[in-house]
Amino acid sequence: MAAEIVNPRSDNSTEQDGGAEPLDSFDPAFALHRGGKMAVQATVPLRDKDDLSLAYTPGVARVCTAIAEQPDLVNDYTWKSSVVAVVTDGTAVLGLGDIGPEASLPVMEGKAILFKQFGGVDAVPIALDCTGVDEIVETVVRLAPSFGGVNLEDISAPRCFEIERKLQERLDIPVFHDDQHGTAVVTLAALRNAARLSGRSIGDLRAVISGAGAAGVAIAKMLVGAGIGDVALADRKGVVSADREDLTPVKREVAGFTNKAGISGSLEDALAGADVFIGVSGGTVSDTAVASMAKGAFVFAMANPNPEVHPDVAHKYAAVVATGRSDFPNQINNVLAFPGIFAGALQVRASRITEGMKIAAAEALAAVVGDDLAADYVIPSPFDERVAPAVTAAVAAAARAEGVARR
């Protein structure tokens, strides 16, 4: 029999301060979240004193001693090699912005149950009450012995880039900022299939990305790594180009490997004749700008809840339309990527997640669509049971090929 730790306030009887009617009496979201969305469950029986003596003292001491003598045994005799820390500072939570660590917890719990549901990976939400780069890095480094991987979540740009880089330098376990790389993996998968549908390859396409934050920068890097013909990134001030003097270090780096056409000016200027629009910024793109794109263009307007281009408008001009919403076809949803990516990395005890592993994940995800490819089906559903196993296997194989696997 498994033992389960249950929140003592999991019933529906507690009212809000002052005796007001409970929020969950009229809002099903509050009803679902009462008491939290997670619990800790034992995987071994505790039926009698013999079970107790093995699970805890004195039996546990033999295991501890063995790990002290051979540290790698921690991966075999604890949960370390199969659990991920989901870490946030609450500064860029969904579309809510900087709402703080406590308010971020429902999202982090949600992320953890997505790991379990879609990848079979256990995950623990950790909301940090600090926002400094070095504070976050030092805190996570000290927590790392308990985990096989770190998923950074909802940390605002540009700090997220530095935090991820520093953590990966300090740790020998995978560190993955999902807002960057998960979005990029799913976008690349959908774009590969859209290109295949139109009889083209990635190399035939010129893309324009609206948004130069975490997701936009990562998508640009991944598309270039996958061999796209050209890609330009645009922020609030226009196209990120080498002739601009107001660029952050991250944007200056991006300017060095994007925009081979040397386009300057506004987002709308860049869209003229473009094959692909990718929106990860919010805001609105005019009908006129979308109409100026190349014939048979692709529009991936992924802002939630309001896409940069409404699908009804996009369909007037584009051959393939994708959004970040679940109520339209072709949802670009990170849950298609991160559970399988971590499952594959943990399976082979990878020391990091490489660009090759991410591209392998995108290719595997795209391949799930197979011969069913259509304009309204360039990316599979998160509930397609083939997704996680395909991504897991591809990532594990890529980790071995790239020399970062340890088993």
Side-chain angles (χ1 to χ4, degrees):
M1 179 182 296
E4 187 172 2
I5 300 173
V6 180
N7 191 310
R9 295 181 60 189
S10 61
D11 63 90
N12 290 334
S13 62
T14 304
E15 296 188 349
Q16 308 303 304
D17 291 344
E21 187 176 7
L23 291 170
D24 43 344
S25 66
F26 57 87
D27 188 329
F30 281 89
L32 183 144
H33 282 78
R34 181 176 286 278
K37 301 191 291 290
M38 299 175 60
V40 175
Q41 183 171 319
T43 60
V44 297
L46 288 176
R47 298 161 299 196
D48 51 37
K49 65 180 181 64
D50 292 333
D51 288 343
L52 185 60
S53 70
L54 289 174
Y56 202 56
T57 187
V60 73
R62 299 197 295 277
V63 180
C64 293
T65 301
I67 293 171
E69 294 172 352
Q70 300 181 58
D72 285 348
L73 291 178
V74 69
N75 294 299
D76 296 311
Y77 295 105
T78 73
W79 77 343
K80 176 182 171 71
S81 64
S82 60
V83 68
V84 171
V86 179
V87 178
T88 189
D89 64 356
T91 56
V93 181
L94 294 178
L96 304 174
D98 186 355
I99 59 174
E102 287 88 354
S104 77
L105 269 176
V107 177
M108 300 311 116
E109 288 182 3
K111 195 78 173 190
I113 65 175
L114 294 178
F115 265 109
K116 188 66 173 179
Q117 178 68 28
F118 293 101
V121 174
D122 289 309
V124 177
I126 298 175
L128 302 179
D129 189 16
C130 58
T131 57
V133 169
D134 291 336
E135 286 181 295
I136 292 173
V137 170
E138 292 299 328
T139 301
V140 175
V141 166
R142 283 160 173 72
L143 291 169
S146 295
F147 299 99
V150 175
N151 184 90
L152 299 175
E153 189 74 18
D154 293 348
I155 298 173
S156 63
R159 295 174 311 118
C160 59
F161 303 111
E162 187 176 6
I163 290 168
E164 182 186 46
R165 177 180 59 79
K166 287 187 172 183
L167 280 173
Q168 193 60 84
E169 289 173 354
R170 298 274 301 274
L171 300 175
D172 65 348
I173 57 175
V175 178
F176 186 84
H177 184 209
D178 186 49
D179 298 329
Q180 293 184 60
H181 311 301
T183 307
V185 166
V186 182
T187 300
L188 175 58
L191 190 57
R192 281 194 182 281
N193 276 340
R196 179 164 69 93
L197 182 67
S198 66
R200 291 177 285 177
S201 70
I202 291 286
D204 298 323
L205 305 176
R206 178 171 74 85
V208 178
I209 301 171
S210 175
V217 169
I219 292 169
K221 288 182 177 180
M222 181 158 282
L223 293 185
V224 169
I228 196 164
D230 196 9
V231 57
L233 194 66
D235 61 14
R236 291 184 180 88
K237 297 181 180 180
V239 176
V240 173
S241 56
D243 59 352
R244 279 178 50 180
E245 298 181 356
D246 61 344
L247 299 181
T248 65
V250 171
K251 292 179 184 178
R252 185 155 299 283
E253 178 192 356
V254 171
F257 62 81
T258 60
N259 195 19
K260 292 187 293 187
I263 298 169
S264 59
S266 67
L267 169 70
E268 288 74 14
D269 293 332
L271 280 175
D275 301 295
V276 185
F277 168 75
I278 297 171
V280 284
S281 65
T284 302
V285 178
S286 69
D287 290 28
T288 303
V290 179
S292 75
M293 296 178 68
K295 184 178 180 180
F298 313 140
V299 171
F300 292 4
M302 301 187 293
N304 262 320
N306 299 311
E308 294 88 349
V309 183
H310 193 279
D312 292 342
V313 174
H315 279 297
K316 295 178 184 178
Y317 312 105
V320 175
V321 177
T323 72
R325 289 173 45 159
S326 60
D327 54 345
F328 291 105
N330 295 328
Q331 184 191 19
I332 307 297
N333 190 330
N334 288 18
V335 77
L336 289 162
F338 69 82
I341 288 173
F342 267 101
L346 293 174
Q347 184 180 98
V348 297
R349 295 179 188 165
S351 58
R352 61 190 302 111
I353 294 171
T354 65
E355 290 302 311
M357 291 162 71
K358 288 180 277 188
I359 288 177
E363 291 173 347
L365 181 55
V368 169
V369 170
D371 294 336
D372 295 324
L373 181 64
D376 62 353
Y377 184 57
V378 298
I379 200 75
S381 162
F383 295 98
D384 188 324
E385 295 181 354
R386 298 171 296 172
V387 167
V391 174
T392 299
V395 169
R400 292 190 177 103
E402 299 211 337
V404 297
R406 289 177 287 200
R407 74 166 184 179

